[in-house]
Amino acid sequence: MIRNRSRGRTGQQNRNAQNGDSLKSEVSGKNINSSDARAFSGHLKSMLDLIREESGNSPDIVIRQFEIGEPASRQADAAVVFLNGLSDERTINNVVMRSLIEFKPDPNLVTDPDRLMETILNEALASGDCSIHMDWKDMLLSVLSGDTVILLEGCEKALVISTPGGEWRAVTEPSSQLVVRGPKDSFVESIGINISLIRRRIKNPDLWLETMKIGTVSHTHVGIMYLKSLADENLVEEVKRRLHAIKIEAVLESAYIEEFIQDETFTPFPTVFNTERPDVAAGNLLEGRIVLLVDGTPFVLILPTVFAHFFQSPEDYAQRYDITILMRLIRYISFIILLLGPSVYIALTTFHYEMIPSLLLISFVAQREGVPFPAFVEAMLMEVAFEILREAGVRMPRAIGQTVSIVGALILGQAVVEAGIITPVMVIVVALTGIASFALPAYNLSIAGRLIRFCFMVLGGMFGFYGITLGLIALVAHMNSLRSFGVPYLAPLSPFVMQSQKDTILRLPFWTLNNRSRKIGNHKTNIEKAEEIAPLGRPGQQDGSGGNRQ
Amino acid sequence: MVQKRTKTAAFLALAFLIIITSGCWDARELNRRAIVSGIGIDRSKEGFLVSLQVIIADEISGKIGRGGTPTSVYSASGRSVVEAMRNVSLKVPRLISTAQTRMVVISEEVAREGISGIVDFLDRDSDLRLSTQLYVARKGTRALDIVSAITPLGRITAYALVQKTELAANELGANFSLEIDDVIRGLLAPGGGPVMNGLNILGDLKKSGDKSNLERTNAQGVVIIDDMAIFKGDKLVGWMDLEECKGLVWAMNKMKKTVVVVKDETDHEEITMDVFETSTATKVDISNPLKPVIQLRVKPQISIREAGTSTDLRDPRVLAKIEEKANKVIAAKLEGAVAKAQGLKSDIFYFGQQIERQNPKVWSRISGQWEAIYPTIEVRCEVESIIRNTQMRDRSYKYNIKSK
């Protein structure tokens, strides 16, 4: 028996080595992959021993053995296997166990375990989601995902009953993407709950869900959701292809997946959108985008995305359109301030004093008298100090966070000016830049801006506006070269799509937007041919210039 | 593969070195600059005496001021303006930065000898703006005195003067802003020349640059905008008086607002009016090429500001009479200005260019003789003023006294 199994495993290894298939690949250590059908030996005791052996005799795997049938007549040996903590014990007790114990089968049936299992499935179990598994590995994985498995003596199959349970964080208000008006729920760490949150918003059979498991060790559930009639078929295929190509041991956050499937790694700009808000996910589904849900994180991925997407907040659709237009403009302006604020100040004071209005210049000069550092060093000091403060503020326990902001913002800012080390204007510029970075609805774009800001400061400090202009040209060229699943990153602006302008920088009233495929539908024309989309993680492509778009 | 990577690395390193080694171009911190607000140019034994009004920013807005004057004047001589400015650096510890200069004063002495060299410097310099205003300091006052003056309102004299010029142009209409490019345009006009605002110091010349000048409510030396200087080519040839200045501004279509006073015939009291909107159209009649006739058509819109009469200003016939009188007064100003310019033989109104624009063929024939023709041409002024309003009252309170 054991000999058989081990031979099967080696065979498996050989096959893996040959075809290099990622999803079924072998991982050393805990092996739950002996998917050989012979593992279902039909011998209950050896099957249970195998389960115990493969899980290292973990105490949280509960194996309950019992007999089916009336005690007077013949009985069949059976066992229930579940994972303590992940499965719902009440369901197991009330539904599974009770059904089995109260089940009084025809004595003839007991001799035929296969028919007995089917009868249990069809007649005894008072549970909605159950199925018969033939695959040992699948069976084990479902136990580890919180399902309950019934094994019968002499039967080479397993009956799997869905009994999800365990503790999850309750659905709470989102912590990163807040709105004044709009839904207040947020995704949680359970993919099941997350899917239900989206389904609750779009009650339509057209909303398709496909799941897969990624992570050779973690076997994380990943769901692909899209509206069949709106999403581009090629895009769905491409997403699936890229997901299948992922080789990773564990997926603990959707960012792990994002890094594998994004078109361009060497860019500060995010090319996959993420959100923890179900309403945003639903809204994007309705625009024909694809939503990727990853078990264990409240952040879902949305793709394809464009640059303008990161300036949109769910609140844009909850407030009046004219106010929304103003708010969006302010977000774009704050992004520009974030990128260029300190660098423009440096360039103005060290190169282009003639461009400063005279009276303002006098004030600048007066402040600079006696300040020991050049403007560039001054700006760098302040920006770095600000980044330290921010990092400290984010990681600090919430109770201390207040103190940090008081010490940082008030005392440090005040003292540094009074000591004559930094000019007050610099403090204003840095503070404005910092606040501007918070005005962006997307955190990942704001950190991208913070990074690029330092490059611009160097350029501004070395070459003035000339350097900043060159930097901007390079930046726009780079952004133009970016693609998010084939969609040009600056899409509705470059290439220009008139139809999409209604909801890019502007947000016109809803009745003008009632074109169903109002965003991605137009991008479809822009999606480049499938072969042009850079293949990811595919060996042999990395050195080729064709797939490498930098 | 490896080779390619090495190449890429080498390229990146080179690109990085280019940035690093090229240094910071022409970076200069603000506290390494001496910011010049005004330049004065006088005659000296060597050639030019250039005086620079440098802003002392600490004294204006800093917390660490030492109670000194808001500006400081550094001057030095040289054979040319640039040489003199280089010589100034013996006295100034910082880079002389002229991009924020708004005022250049030339003394009458220098102006009478010719300003072409100075204007070329102002035009050529990359720092100086073409929007810098040019002035002539009237005889008896040196450009240095103007640049050194301290004014109670506005800490930087040069900026205060430019503001004064603009305000006076908008309120009184006896001058208008003249920037370097305006002057260059004037220098280029055939048979003409630029005009420039004059500057003078009213009161004590020596006290005007003293800090004690600020300590009295009635400042002892005040820089004022004086009459306008007329150039022929690049040389100053004469000055207009106040009324002629208004006519000059009007004829050049630069008038924004001015005041007109007429005598009322009923009780011989003065009626003062504001011209709040006016335009001047110049037309040339060249039926006889050697005797061109220039038509200046002025359309002022008037508002009555002060009436010492009991006249009923509601009566359109009365208003028409007042308009008639205003027309005459305004026409007289224009004619006076034109006559003065013709007397000085300087085509400051660009009549020659008007002819060229309207009929280039005729101009090419007469341009050689333009110097001779210009003083003899006839200039007709047609003024059609309209009284638009009488402000808050229609009749004066005197009207009620009389009617009782």
Side-chain angles (χ1 to χ4, degrees):
Chain A
M1 180 63 228
I2 290 166
R3 196 174 53 89
N4 277 355
R5 211 182 75 240
S6 62
R7 204 175 60 198
R9 200 189 293 164
T10 7
Q12 177 83 24
Q13 271 171 343
N14 290 341
R15 276 203 306 281
N16 286 341
Q18 278 158 15
N19 62 16
D21 191 335
S22 63
L23 272 186
K24 287 176 190 159
S25 70
E26 164 79 19
V27 176
S28 53
K30 288 228 164 179
N31 29 37
I32 38 174
N33 60 312
S34 36
S35 61
D36 199 339
R38 273 167 293 187
F40 278 116
S41 57
H43 187 251
L44 185 62
K45 190 168 176 310
S46 64
M47 286 196 291
L48 295 178
D49 284 345
L50 190 55
I51 291 175
R52 286 201 189 97
E53 189 199 321
E54 290 199 343
S55 63
N57 222 350
S58 303
D60 58 345
I61 291 193
V62 180
I63 298 177
R64 163 95 155 72
Q65 281 180 276
F66 60 97
E67 285 164 345
I68 295 177
E70 313 218 24
S73 64
R74 287 182 63 183
Q75 290 180 313
D77 282 331
V80 168
V81 184
F82 59 90
L83 193 67
N84 197 2
L86 263 192
S87 49
D88 184 18
E89 218 157 320
R90 255 174 56 199
T91 320
I92 294 172
N93 292 342
N94 292 349
V95 178
V96 181
M97 298 308 290
R98 178 162 300 167
S99 311
L100 291 176
I101 286 166
E102 287 175 2
F103 180 49
K104 303 291 175 238
D106 195 318
N108 296 336
L109 261 182
V110 176
T111 53
D112 188 350
D114 283 354
R115 271 187 60 208
L116 177 64
M117 186 169 277
E118 268 174 46
T119 321
I120 293 172
L121 174 68
N122 294 333
E123 293 171 18
L125 280 175
S127 170
D129 184 5
C130 11
S131 56
I132 290 178
H133 278 217
M134 310 282 286
D135 190 81
W136 181 258
K137 183 186 144 199
D138 272 7
M139 184 274 290
L140 254 184
L141 265 181
S142 34
V143 171
L144 293 172
S145 323
D147 290 348
T148 303
V149 166
I150 301 170
L151 294 168
L152 290 181
E153 173 69 46
C155 181
E156 294 181 357
K157 297 168 194 164
L159 184 55
V160 178
I161 304 136
S162 170
T163 52
E167 287 306 311
W168 285 110
R169 193 168 60 92
V171 174
T172 52
E173 266 196 59
S175 56
S176 66
Q177 291 159 325
L178 300 175
V179 292
V180 176
R181 179 176 172 184
K184 301 272 185 187
D185 55 347
S186 120
F187 285 128
V188 292
E189 283 77 6
S190 155
I191 189 171
I193 296 176
N194 291 351
I195 290 169
S196 70
L197 286 172
I198 295 179
R199 286 257 187 222
R200 204 170 279 168
R201 285 182 165 78
I202 306 172
K203 297 173 192 75
N204 198 317
D206 200 30
L207 178 59
W208 283 24
L209 169 73
E210 290 175 45
T211 57
M212 57 170 67
K213 283 182 182 142
I214 297 179
T216 48
V217 174
S218 69
H219 296 276
T220 310
H221 281 272
V222 173
I224 310 165
M225 271 186 128
Y226 53 93
L227 280 171
K228 178 66 181 161
S229 59
L230 279 181
D232 185 40
E233 257 174 63
N234 296 331
L235 184 66
V236 176
E237 282 310 308
E238 176 64 23
V239 171
K240 279 193 255 178
R241 192 182 67 72
R242 291 190 192 182
L243 286 176
H244 278 301
I246 292 175
K247 284 180 191 164
I248 190 170
E249 293 192 347
V251 178
L252 301 180
E253 219 287 323
S254 49
Y256 291 40
I257 296 201
E258 181 179 333
E259 283 209 6
F260 274 99
I261 60 171
Q262 66 194 358
D263 291 54
E264 180 68 71
T265 306
F266 299 104
T267 175
F269 290 100
T271 51
V272 177
F273 194 76
N274 71 66
T275 184
E276 60 167 340
R277 299 183 57 88
D279 53 328
V280 173
N284 281 293
L285 282 170
L286 292 169
E287 286 169 357
R289 293 196 168 92
I290 297 173
V291 169
L292 292 186
L293 304 105
V294 178
D295 200 18
T297 174
F299 289 93
V300 305
L301 302 180
I302 294 169
L303 43 94
T305 187
V306 289
F307 183 61
H309 200 177
F310 293 91
F311 291 89
Q312 296 174 358
S313 153
E315 185 140 10
D316 290 356
Y317 304 96
Q319 300 295 353
R320 292 180 49 80
Y321 74 95
D322 39 7
I323 292 150
T324 297
I325 292 172
L326 176 71
M327 291 306 155
R328 281 196 182 164
L329 284 177
I330 282 175
R331 285 179 212 142
Y332 281 99
I333 292 168
S334 42
F335 185 68
I336 293 168
I337 292 176
L338 168 63
L339 278 190
L340 301 179
S343 51
V344 165
Y345 175 74
I346 294 170
L348 276 178
T349 54
T350 48
F351 292 94
H352 314 286
Y353 77 104
E354 70 275 2
M355 293 179 73
I356 310 172
S358 310
L359 296 180
L360 187 63
L361 178 71
I362 292 167
S363 156
F364 280 11
V365 175
Q367 289 177 25
R368 280 215 65 81
E369 291 291 341
V371 170
F373 301 114
F376 174 70
V377 174
E378 198 188 5
M380 271 293 177
L381 278 177
M382 275 316 272
E383 288 293 349
V384 169
F386 184 75
E387 291 297 322
I388 292 172
L389 271 177
R390 172 151 42 189
E391 191 61 18
V394 172
R395 310 283 162 236
M396 278 273 171
R398 212 159 273 177
I400 312 173
Q402 287 278 341
T403 329
V404 169
S405 60
I406 290 168
V407 171
L410 295 176
I411 301 174
L412 195 65
Q414 180 93 7
V416 105
V417 168
E418 281 191 359
I421 298 170
I422 305 286
T423 56
V425 197
M426 198 53 187
V427 177
I428 295 171
V429 170
V430 171
L432 186 68
T433 315
I435 293 166
S437 77
F438 295 125
L440 297 180
Y443 184 70
N444 47 359
L445 189 69
S446 118
I447 46 181
R450 277 155 61 186
L451 184 69
I452 303 168
R453 178 188 58 185
F454 283 103
C455 303
F456 274 109
M457 280 164 65
V458 172
L459 285 173
M462 283 189 168
F463 306 109
F465 278 155
Y466 174 63
I468 293 175
T469 312
L470 285 186
L472 277 178
I473 292 170
L475 184 74
V476 171
H478 169 71
M479 286 170 76
N480 251 319
S481 78
L482 290 179
R483 297 288 182 275
S484 174
F485 285 79
V487 178
Y489 199 46
L490 298 177
L493 300 171
S494 153
F496 191 80
V497 185
M498 193 60 204
Q499 189 67 17
S500 308
Q501 300 304 319
K502 290 176 186 172
D503 189 13
T504 302
I505 292 171
L506 306 176
R507 201 281 277 172
L508 297 189
F510 273 118
W511 47 264
T512 64
L513 306 176
N514 56 10
N515 178 9
R516 230 160 69 94
S517 53
R518 62 175 185 267
K519 261 190 192 150
I520 279 307
N522 294 314
H523 293 170
K524 267 186 197 173
T525 54
N526 295 322
I527 292 178
E528 287 157 357
K529 284 175 186 148
E531 56 262 31
E532 282 179 36
I533 296 173
L536 284 138
R538 200 185 264 176
Q541 286 276 352
Q542 280 139 2
D543 54 343
S545 56
N548 202 352
R549 247 188 298 227
Q550 265 197 64
Chain B
M1 185 72 192
V2 174
Q3 213 179 9
K4 199 179 172 191
R5 217 176 264 172
T6 332
K7 268 187 185 170
T8 319
F11 176 76
L12 285 177
L14 277 178
F16 187 66
L17 277 177
I18 287 173
I19 294 176
I20 292 295
T21 51
S22 64
C24 294
W25 189 30
D26 59 353
R28 195 167 289 263
E29 293 297 325
L30 286 182
N31 47 13
R32 302 272 166 100
R33 286 186 186 277
I35 291 158
V36 176
S37 52
I39 301 175
I41 301 169
D42 283 299
R43 177 58 67 215
S44 77
K45 265 183 270 168
E46 287 170 275
F48 293 106
L49 174 77
V50 172
S51 317
L52 303 176
Q53 187 185 63
V54 175
I55 299 171
I56 312 295
D58 292 8
E59 304 296 345
I60 295 172
S61 71
K63 286 177 187 166
I64 46 171
R66 290 167 294 183
T69 50
T71 53
S72 191
V73 175
Y74 297 92
S75 45
S77 300
R79 280 167 296 175
S80 65
V81 177
V82 177
E83 197 188 55
M85 280 181 75
R86 293 288 170 269
N87 289 340
V88 174
S89 58
L90 290 170
K91 300 179 180 173
V92 188
R94 297 180 181 180
L95 181 77
I96 293 160
S97 310
T98 51
Q100 300 278 348
T101 304
R102 295 220 201 135
M103 174 188 83
V104 174
V105 192
I106 300 166
S107 74
E108 187 171 342
E109 214 183 340
V110 174
R112 286 205 184 265
E113 285 167 30
I115 55 166
S116 54
I118 297 169
V119 171
D120 177 71
F121 158 69
L122 300 175
D123 186 28
R124 193 181 295 276
D125 193 83
S126 65
D127 247 19
L128 271 166
R129 299 169 189 224
L130 284 184
S131 61
T132 307
Q133 303 221 4
L134 277 178
Y135 297 90
V136 178
R138 282 198 95 146
K139 203 162 198 154
T141 308
R142 286 178 303 165
L144 173 62
D145 296 326
I146 306 267
V147 167
S148 331
I150 289 179
T151 44
L153 264 182
R155 301 193 175 197
I156 301 157
T157 325
Y159 294 178
L161 264 175
V162 171
Q163 278 181 355
K164 260 185 221 177
T165 315
E166 276 158 12
L167 186 83
N170 285 333
E171 290 296 311
L172 180 64
N175 63 300
F176 58 98
S177 299
L178 276 149
E179 299 166 355
I180 294 177
D181 56 331
D182 295 321
V183 170
I184 293 171
R185 223 169 288 134
L187 285 168
L188 289 172
V195 288
M196 270 192 225
N197 290 308
L199 288 179
N200 210 343
I201 290 181
L202 206 64
D204 193 339
L205 260 185
K206 282 174 189 157
K207 288 274 171 63
S208 69
D210 204 350
K211 215 186 160 200
S212 66
N213 201 20
L214 301 177
E215 284 160 10
R216 291 174 57 137
T217 49
N218 185 8
Q220 285 174 294
V222 182
V223 183
I224 56 155
I225 313 287
D226 211 332
D227 302 333
M228 295 187 90
I230 297 173
F231 284 69
K232 165 78 178 167
D234 70 328
K235 292 184 177 65
L236 190 148
V237 287
W239 296 88
M240 296 262 180
D241 66 21
L242 185 65
E243 290 307 306
E244 287 164 352
C245 279
K246 285 185 189 168
L248 167 81
V249 175
W250 230 313
M252 295 183 93
N253 195 19
K254 300 275 186 189
M255 184 59 83
K256 283 171 185 150
K257 195 173 173 187
T258 191
V259 67
V260 173
V261 183
V262 296
K263 262 218 161 64
D264 183 49
E265 52 193 11
T266 44
D267 38 8
H268 300 285
E269 291 284 350
E270 258 120 25
I271 296 179
T272 309
M273 295 166 283
D274 259 0
V275 174
F276 61 90
E277 178 94 53
T278 172
S279 66
T280 310
T282 313
K283 260 195 175 177
V284 187
D285 177 12
I286 27 176
S287 45
N288 180 357
L290 290 176
K291 285 200 171 161
V293 178
I294 310 282
Q295 264 189 337
L296 294 173
R297 182 168 291 158
V298 187
K299 285 187 175 172
Q301 299 192 29
I302 290 174
S303 130
I304 293 175
R305 305 289 304 211
E306 190 181 326
T309 70
S310 55
T311 329
D312 184 3
L313 291 177
R314 293 174 300 179
D315 186 353
R317 281 167 301 177
V318 173
L319 291 181
K321 274 184 191 164
I322 298 172
E323 281 169 1
E324 198 71 20
K325 281 183 184 161
N327 288 350
K328 277 183 191 156
V329 172
I330 293 167
K333 290 181 193 194
L334 277 123
E335 280 155 7
V338 172
K340 181 76 163 263
Q342 281 182 320
L344 294 168
K345 293 179 182 165
S346 178
D347 180 13
I348 51 171
F349 306 102
Y350 310 138
F351 288 150
Q353 286 181 350
Q354 293 278 357
I355 296 173
E356 187 183 7
R357 238 170 261 156
Q358 279 187 27
N359 200 331
K361 276 185 191 165
V362 171
W363 175 250
S364 62
R365 268 168 49 208
I366 63 166
S367 60
Q369 303 154 268
W370 180 242
E371 294 275 350
I373 296 171
Y374 172 68
T376 65
I377 57 171
E378 188 186 342
V379 178
R380 288 184 199 147
C381 298
E382 285 174 33
V383 187
E384 293 167 32
S385 52
I386 304 156
I387 296 175
R388 284 278 177 228
N389 63 58
T390 59
Q391 295 282 319
M392 306 284 283
R393 292 276 175 273
D394 44 13
R395 296 144 290 171
S396 163
Y397 70 95
K398 272 190 176 175
Y399 176 83
N400 294 329
I401 299 169
K402 196 182 156 196
S403 58
K404 272 172 196 166

